[in-house]
Amino acid sequence: MYLRSMELTKVRRTHVLVGALATLVWINVAKDYRDYPVKTNVDHDPCCEFPCENQGVCISLKDKSYICDCTNTEHYGTNCSTPTWIGWVRKGLQPDPATLHAWLTQDLWVWRVVNAVPFLSDYAMKYIYLSRSDLIDSPVRFESDHSYTTLDAYFNETYYARTLPPTPRHCPTPMGVVGPKEYPDVDEVIQKVFLRKTFIPGPFKTNLLFQYYAQHFTHQFFRTNYTKGPQFTKGNGGVDASNIYGLTESHRRHIRLFKDGKLKYREVNGEHFPPLLKDVEGLDMEYPPGLPIPEESKHALGHPFYALLPGLFAYSTIWLREHNRVCDVLKEEHPHWDDERLYHTAKLIITGEIIKITVENYVQHLSQYKVNVKFRPHVVHNTRFQFHNRINVEFDHLYHWHQLVPDGITINDTYYDLMDMAFSVKPIFTHGLDTFIQALNSNRAGKMGPHNHGVVNVPVLKRMLLNSRALRFQGINSYRKRFKMSPFKSFEELTGDQELADVLRGLYGHIDAVEFYVGLFTEHDGPSVMSLTVVNMGGPWSVKGLIANPICSPQYWKPSTFGGEKGFEIVNTASLEKLFCRNMKSKCQNIDFVVPDSSL
Ligand code: HEM
Ligand SMILES: *[C@@H]1O[C@H](CO)[C@@H](O)[C@H](O)[C@H]1NC(C)=O
Ligand SMILES: *[C@@H]1O[C@H](CO)[C@@H](O)[C@H](O)[C@H]1NC(C)=O
Ligand SMILES: *[C@@H]1O[C@H](CO)[C@@H](O)[C@H](O)[C@H]1NC(C)=O
Ligand SMILES: *[C@@H]1O[C@H](CO)[C@@H](O)[C@H](O)[C@H]1NC(C)=O
């Protein structure tokens, strides 16, 4: 019949936005699928069967046989499957991952004792840090362009690292020898396994403050350079706070105030916000061309991607205020320090706060461990722990958590769908930052599982799945073994759901052929926010990345690095709640990663 003009504008805006998002995702997509030159001339490679166990390394011989190199695996035999004495004892002492996980997530009296007694707590942390990081290659061995160890994996830091090398291109199937010769159709996989019909809220009452923390935190090191290819990163090897300060020196200088160490800000009704983009000449933020966004709502943030969503803008604002607050504290202690020293010292403190909050609030919620997860870097000093980290491309894929994202959000009784919020700060400036943050706090995030992927982000999922294929990821069971979990024996064991098991059987034929990401998020429910496999793989990458940060190393981890006792104290007492309460105008109630009971 007719459309009111407001609706018409909305329809048009939605179209432009979908177009903009799609272009964002599909730019240079052809590059991702270029075929790498295959120079090998192999008609049969026994290593395609991945015969070596316990991380033994397969080498094919010229007579089409193979040997497994079992060095340092504590195993021997043709396939490195027989444990040495020491290997046997160690294996016997190691609890089964599923059992250990079940203990850690149960409210046992022993955790209350551990939590209450500092030296026991430190001992538990030492065990967690070391046992987790032992699973990560350090230094790295693999990148995505070779199915064997290369020196480039270490020295060419434009590569993401790989935990398992790609399946060689000459193998009969994408997974080596099992499964179909061709991957199942990606659209069919998305439609049958991932697409959301109705929103499924997460168990454990996870809220949107958590969802946006995850995105804001991880995009400092997940920065695929799609122009170059999905195996390359623009970023650095860990928590560098580049999402707050900028990745390049040029970006960093654009948003620095060059006074008292502070970052540039704009004052609105007595509150500090990031500056407008028009006031920061020459800075590139990823606003899509062709979308009419008023100059008054374009901002200069630490990360060019963070214009995308008001939740990222909110975190950017809070961290900006925290940085400037820390600068005030430092200046009071050291009135003789110049801008440069205040800036760099505050940045070290902020990095410490990020790690502290990530470990003690974020990982605590994610894991649902009943033992308190603590940030105590000194416990690994004088151990075998290596202060070196690189980002693995499998970690980037595992962290595609778009299932958390609900289709919309209610702010003080107004509903905004995701598209209303793209590249907009309206929800913040209409209701006020504090009200917006309370809304993130009281809206539930989605469940990380099958049939819960919102349609808006399907292009992101599709591209990621296609990239994992272009990069020849090994199957979920290879990764289970790599992280010392026993491989799934059947589709039913994986999913715990007959219907989904049948769908996956139809797509993949063999359990060992199930793709990495598909396996991760079709696994049956467990006691954590994510499935057991996600926790037992994400955990090691995450712990390693957080604790291998230079600030945790013996020569950094001391008060003077952080401007003295006062700065060190800020790091050691940081929490999510303090971060928000110190930097909101009012009403910082219930700041947490779970929805308060009153709004359930
Ligand atoms: C809130 C709504 C969200 C939207 C609209 C969104 C959108 C996007 C887009 C457009 C990309 C770029 C994809 C490409 O160019 O191929 C992306 C990448 C990504 N997103 Fe999200 N996302 C959202 C939330 C999240 C959340 C909550 C997480 C959880 C941590 C997340 C994790 C990632 C990761 C890991 C990448 C890959 C980054 C890279 O490798 O450069 N996203 N997302
Ligand atoms: C080693 O693995 C191959 C391939 O999986 C298998 O056929 C063979 O029987 C195994 N050999 C031993 C000694 O276990
Ligand atoms: C890293 O490897 C890529 C792919 O081979 C190459 O294009 C790039 O020049 C290398 N970078 C450095 C710094 O060697
Ligand atoms: C991404 O890769 C392209 C193509 O190799 C290169 O020109 C560009 O500098 C890279 N971007 C960043 C930010 O590293
Ligand atoms: C919610 O909206 C009502 C009506 O517009 C307004 O009076 C109230 O102050 C708002 N509450 C908050 C917390 O912003």
Side-chain angles (χ1 to χ4, degrees):
M1 298 267 285
Y2 71 96
L3 278 166
R4 278 180 302 143
S5 66
M6 232 180 74
E7 281 174 0
L8 190 67
T9 335
K10 190 172 164 184
V11 169
R12 194 172 294 140
R13 183 177 151 80
T14 305
H15 270 116
V16 179
L17 273 171
V18 172
L21 263 177
T23 8
L24 220 98
V25 170
W26 289 105
I27 296 169
N28 287 310
V29 78
K31 279 251 166 54
D32 301 3
Y33 309 115
R34 69 169 172 206
D35 237 342
Y36 305 102
V38 189
K39 292 199 192 86
T40 46
N41 193 8
V42 185
D43 51 1
H44 175 76
D45 178 356
C47 291
C48 289
E49 279 182 59
F50 299 113
C52 310
E53 295 178 33
N54 301 299
Q55 290 199 60
V57 178
C58 188
I59 303 189
S60 55
L61 304 177
K62 55 190 171 194
D63 64 354
K64 298 189 177 168
S65 65
Y66 70 94
I67 46 169
C68 291
D69 183 350
C70 308
T71 309
N72 296 335
T73 66
E74 295 182 346
H75 288 77
Y76 62 95
T78 318
N79 296 338
C80 311
S81 43
T82 317
T84 58
W85 270 107
I86 183 82
W88 184 80
V89 170
R90 223 190 289 271
K91 241 186 186 169
L93 289 174
Q94 251 169 20
D96 158 66
T99 315
L100 179 64
H101 190 242
W103 287 341
L104 285 165
T105 49
Q106 264 172 54
D107 195 6
L108 305 175
W109 64 265
V110 42
W111 302 137
R112 272 179 247 157
V113 175
V114 170
N115 293 341
V117 183
F119 90 88
L120 289 178
S121 170
D122 278 3
Y123 190 83
M125 285 315 114
K126 183 173 173 176
Y127 174 77
I128 290 180
Y129 295 168
L130 290 178
S131 64
R132 294 273 165 173
S133 56
D134 277 348
L135 291 163
I136 306 299
D137 284 347
S138 190
V140 300
R141 272 187 295 170
F142 303 122
E143 28 72 13
S144 294
D145 285 338
H146 302 89
S147 54
Y148 40 85
T149 304
T150 67
L151 206 50
D152 274 1
Y154 180 87
F155 284 111
N156 187 336
E157 296 192 7
T158 64
Y159 273 120
Y160 279 121
R162 276 289 280 263
T163 295
L164 283 178
T167 307
R169 294 202 154 257
H170 55 252
C171 292
T173 73
M175 296 299 159
V177 294
V178 293
K181 275 202 171 337
E182 302 283 335
Y183 288 105
D185 180 68
V186 70
D187 293 313
E188 197 183 332
V189 172
I190 290 171
Q191 208 245 319
K192 288 185 171 167
V193 176
F194 289 106
L195 206 58
R196 174 182 292 160
K197 291 177 192 86
T198 50
F199 177 72
I200 311 168
F204 312 109
K205 305 189 290 184
T206 307
N207 63 19
L208 300 190
L209 210 56
F210 178 89
Q211 176 207 295
Y212 280 112
Y213 190 95
Q215 191 181 16
H216 181 270
F217 169 70
T218 58
H219 280 51
Q220 72 190 295
F221 47 77
F222 295 142
R223 295 178 181 259
T224 305
N225 187 342
Y226 294 106
T227 317
K228 204 165 182 200
Q231 67 274 52
F232 297 106
T233 178
K234 303 178 206 172
N236 300 315
V239 179
D240 59 358
S242 62
N243 56 341
I244 298 170
Y245 298 96
L247 181 62
T248 61
E249 184 56 19
S250 154
H251 194 137
R252 291 192 285 269
R253 299 182 78 85
H254 272 102
I255 60 174
R256 272 179 72 173
L257 186 64
F258 290 107
K259 185 170 182 296
D260 298 340
K262 290 186 177 179
L263 296 173
K264 283 183 188 159
Y265 60 88
R266 177 172 76 119
E267 200 166 318
V268 183
N269 299 329
E271 284 190 80
H272 289 188
F273 288 95
L276 292 178
L277 188 56
K278 67 177 165 66
D279 298 330
V280 182
E281 229 165 90
L283 182 72
D284 184 32
M285 291 290 297
E286 287 170 12
Y287 286 102
L291 190 65
I293 304 170
E295 290 303 316
E296 288 65 46
S297 49
K298 285 191 190 172
H299 291 85
L301 308 174
H303 194 310
F305 182 79
Y306 288 0
L308 180 66
L309 293 155
L312 297 172
F313 178 86
Y315 267 105
S316 302
T317 304
I318 292 294
W319 279 116
L320 167 100
R321 292 179 186 179
E322 178 65 4
H323 172 86
N324 287 351
R325 188 191 73 82
V326 166
C327 286
D328 285 336
V329 173
L330 284 175
K331 188 165 161 115
E332 205 174 298
E333 290 284 298
H334 311 286
H336 56 297
W337 278 10
D338 63 358
D339 165 75
E340 187 74 4
R341 185 153 194 191
L342 291 167
Y343 171 80
H344 285 287
T345 308
K347 195 169 163 180
L348 283 157
I349 294 175
I350 295 296
T351 305
E353 288 192 56
I354 295 172
I355 300 176
K356 170 91 171 171
I357 294 170
T358 302
V359 173
E360 298 198 357
N361 297 112
Y362 176 81
V363 173
Q364 186 82 56
H365 175 71
L366 200 53
S367 66
Q368 294 288 313
Y369 284 174
K370 294 298 182 284
V371 61
N372 288 346
V373 188
K374 291 280 191 188
F375 178 46
R376 309 282 285 157
H378 69 272
V379 302
V380 294
H381 296 171
N382 301 314
T383 72
R384 61 188 177 277
F385 187 84
Q386 300 285 309
F387 291 93
H388 162 82
N389 189 61
R390 286 274 293 282
I391 303 302
N392 287 265
V393 68
E394 297 102 321
F395 189 31
D396 177 307
H397 285 217
L398 172 143
Y399 237 116
H400 276 66
W401 291 354
H402 298 93
Q403 292 90 322
L404 291 174
V405 183
D407 305 319
I409 160 177
T410 306
I411 307 168
N412 193 17
D413 298 332
T414 312
Y415 181 78
Y416 292 84
D417 73 36
L418 196 53
M419 277 306 175
D420 290 332
M421 289 193 286
F423 300 106
S424 166
V425 286
K426 197 163 151 251
I428 291 182
F429 288 102
T430 305
H431 304 277
L433 180 69
D434 289 20
T435 308
F436 181 75
I437 288 168
Q438 293 301 342
L440 295 186
N441 205 49
S442 57
N443 277 263
R444 283 183 81 166
K447 180 177 174 180
M448 287 302 306
H451 308 304
N452 203 24
H453 202 290
V455 67
V456 169
N457 282 318
V458 156
V460 185
L461 173 64
K462 178 170 176 177
R463 187 184 198 185
M464 184 267 292
L465 288 171
L466 290 174
N467 284 340
S468 74
R469 294 173 176 193
L471 300 182
R472 312 274 297 179
F473 276 28
Q474 295 184 34
I476 187 69
N477 270 345
S478 297
Y479 282 94
R480 292 264 302 179
K481 285 191 262 184
R482 172 63 181 75
F483 285 89
K484 304 206 165 154
M485 289 172 272
S486 53
F488 294 118
K489 286 179 205 68
S490 67
F491 291 101
E492 284 74 11
E493 189 197 342
L494 164 65
T495 62
D497 174 299
Q498 192 60 51
E499 207 177 314
L500 186 57
D502 291 337
V503 167
L504 292 179
R505 190 178 295 106
L507 292 167
Y508 295 100
H510 193 293
I511 185 70
D512 289 342
V514 174
E515 290 175 86
F516 174 76
Y517 187 85
V518 176
L520 288 178
F521 293 105
T522 52
E523 185 173 349
H524 60 81
D525 293 348
S528 297
V529 174
M530 308 279 160
S531 71
L532 178 68
T533 312
V534 175
V535 174
N536 279 352
M537 287 172 38
W541 282 317
S542 158
V543 165
K544 176 71 184 170
L546 291 162
I547 306 301
N549 192 280
I551 69 160
C552 301
S553 67
Q555 297 298 9
Y556 274 70
W557 188 248
K558 49 180 82 169
S560 50
T561 303
F562 306 93
E565 290 296 346
K566 202 149 186 183
F568 204 30
E569 172 88 2
I570 296 177
V571 173
N572 280 314
T573 58
S575 72
L576 185 75
E577 190 173 19
K578 279 188 201 152
L579 173 67
F580 278 94
C581 294
R582 281 182 179 147
N583 296 299
M584 285 166 74
K585 201 170 167 190
S586 58
K587 291 183 295 191
C588 72
Q589 305 132 5
N590 307 313
I591 289 296
D592 201 349
F593 285 138
V594 297
V595 172
D597 287 330
S598 57
S599 35
L600 272 178

